[in-house]
Amino acid sequence: MSSCLNDRRNEFELIWQETFKKHGDDPQKTLPISVNALDEYPFDKQFLFRAAIDEERLADLETDDKSKSACLHRAMGYAQRLLKEDPQCETAKQVTVRIYSKLGLEDMAIEQANKCENVDLALKFCLKGDSLRRHRQIIIDKKLHELLYEMSIQDLNMLDICEKIVNIVIPDGNYQYYYHILAGVYLKRANIYIQTGDEKAAIDSLWKLFEIAKTTADISRNQKHFTAPLFNFLEDSTPRFCELTGYVELFLLSMKREFACLENNEDFIKILNDANTYVAQFGKSSAQKRKDEIK
């Protein structure tokens, strides 16, 4: 008996495969086969998935709203039956996200997306407009950070490439928290130059970092959002111990901690003096600034 059932199921599978080879992914050709197979094998996960996908594709082709809705509801029915058979089926979860979204049930789509293993991908199926743009920027930001941190190693060529990537992605100099990646690049570059005995190149690297620290501090005083097109929906929410001079103070801490060997170098002393002057000029804490304003 079991052998006969398997033979019958294999017959449906063969018909489906031949139809798919002949007509491609034409849902009008393949859906009837899946429906007939499910009449005899109502719990078959593969045909449930195929039927859900075909109904969804037919909905995409429909121009009549009533017919489109009917296709989507049938697709949802198949997808939910599949999830009942296999609650962990990621593709079935993603199908339900898309269908909820196409039915205009955005809250349900987002709720289902957050249950998916790959939440980032699932959210792309249901978010729209600025919400989708922001979500994509968050994904790019996360992947770019992973890439840049892997590249920020003790190798001058890799450091150069890392710096170039940051400046391509953020061409306007409003680095926000990407400043920390650039700082790492310049600090590591300076350390490499010191190890090879090239103090002048090390000092040049530290001067450039100081200029970037000042610029970033100046921008971040009034601007917490990125302005580069690739990240213009993102903002810098990282904690700041001093809103006015934090980046330059971090720069000074790095100088004192990592470059004591340059303490007698005249150019290095000038960098420290300029940095301290900057901090003295803008270095009132936010609390002190408010006290002054009250006075």
Side-chain angles (χ1 to χ4, degrees):
M1 181 68 175
S2 176
S3 176
C4 292
L5 287 173
N6 286 334
D7 288 345
R8 180 64 174 154
R9 201 279 175 197
N10 289 338
E11 181 181 337
F12 281 119
E13 181 65 26
L14 181 61
I15 294 171
W16 190 93
Q17 293 291 346
E18 290 177 346
T19 303
F20 184 81
K21 288 179 182 178
K22 183 177 180 180
H23 299 284
D25 57 352
D26 182 350
Q28 293 180 329
K29 301 294 184 183
T30 52
L31 178 59
I33 302 167
S34 296
V35 172
N36 289 336
L38 288 169
D39 285 341
E40 296 187 36
Y41 303 94
F43 308 113
D44 188 285
K45 291 185 286 188
Q46 192 167 32
F47 279 115
L48 283 170
F49 175 72
R50 289 168 175 170
I53 292 296
D54 282 346
E55 287 285 13
E56 183 188 7
R57 286 173 175 165
L58 286 174
D60 292 340
L61 296 172
E62 282 288 353
T63 56
D64 177 70
D65 289 343
K66 187 176 180 180
S67 298
K68 182 187 290 290
S69 178
C71 289
L72 289 173
H73 279 91
R74 286 194 295 270
M76 180 64 80
Y78 290 125
Q80 289 178 337
R81 284 168 59 185
L82 175 54
L83 281 172
K84 187 175 181 180
E85 295 303 310
D86 184 1
Q88 301 306 315
C89 181
E90 182 73 3
T91 51
K93 291 178 184 178
Q94 291 173 1
V95 169
T96 60
V97 171
R98 293 199 301 267
I99 295 172
Y100 278 135
S101 181
K102 291 173 182 180
L103 287 169
L105 304 172
E106 300 302 331
D107 290 343
M108 295 180 71
I110 292 172
E111 180 182 350
Q112 181 64 37
N114 284 308
K115 296 177 183 178
C116 292
E117 183 177 338
N118 191 336
V119 176
D120 285 343
L121 174 62
L123 285 172
K124 286 193 285 187
F125 294 143
C126 58
L127 295 177
K128 294 179 175 62
D130 289 349
S131 295
L132 178 57
R133 288 188 63 189
R134 184 176 185 277
H135 178 62
R136 289 184 181 278
Q137 289 183 10
I138 290 171
I139 294 173
I140 294 169
D141 177 55
K142 181 165 60 176
K143 292 182 181 297
L144 183 59
H145 262 84
E146 292 173 359
L147 170 67
L148 294 174
Y149 277 120
E150 290 298 325
M151 294 177 66
S152 298
I153 58 175
Q154 299 289 354
D155 179 283
L156 286 175
N157 289 329
M158 293 293 279
L159 293 173
D160 290 345
I161 294 170
C162 185
E163 180 185 5
K164 287 176 182 176
I165 290 174
V166 171
N167 284 305
I168 288 171
V169 172
I170 307 173
D172 60 3
N174 179 13
Y175 298 113
Q176 298 292 332
Y177 48 74
Y178 276 86
Y179 163 81
H180 301 293
I181 291 177
L182 283 180
V185 168
Y186 281 102
L187 291 173
K188 288 175 184 178
R189 187 182 284 148
N191 272 304
I192 292 173
Y193 286 136
I194 288 173
Q195 291 167 15
T196 58
D198 192 345
E199 277 195 8
K200 183 180 183 306
I203 292 294
D204 288 343
S205 184
L206 296 178
W207 268 118
K208 290 176 182 176
L209 176 55
F210 174 48
E211 293 301 323
I212 293 174
K214 284 194 301 181
T215 300
T216 305
D218 291 340
I219 291 173
S220 65
R221 231 170 265 135
N222 300 306
Q223 176 64 265
K224 299 297 187 288
H225 284 79
F226 287 91
T227 46
L230 190 61
F231 292 143
N232 62 339
F233 280 89
L234 304 185
E235 64 179 284
D236 187 352
S237 58
T238 55
R240 300 176 184 185
F241 67 90
C242 179
E243 293 182 359
L244 300 179
T245 62
Y247 291 105
V248 177
E249 291 189 52
L250 284 173
F251 171 81
L252 278 168
L253 288 173
S254 298
M255 296 305 98
K256 295 171 183 177
R257 184 177 62 243
E258 298 185 39
F259 299 99
C261 61
L262 296 174
E263 61 183 358
N264 295 319
N265 183 291
E266 291 184 4
D267 290 324
F268 183 71
I269 293 171
K270 186 174 188 321
I271 294 175
L272 295 182
N273 288 338
D274 285 3
N276 280 310
T277 299
Y278 181 93
V279 171
Q281 181 181 357
F282 297 103
K284 291 180 180 179
S285 68
S286 297
Q288 183 62 50
K289 184 182 178 185
R290 284 194 294 271
K291 287 180 182 179
D292 292 346
E293 289 173 348
I294 292 172
K295 292 176 182 179

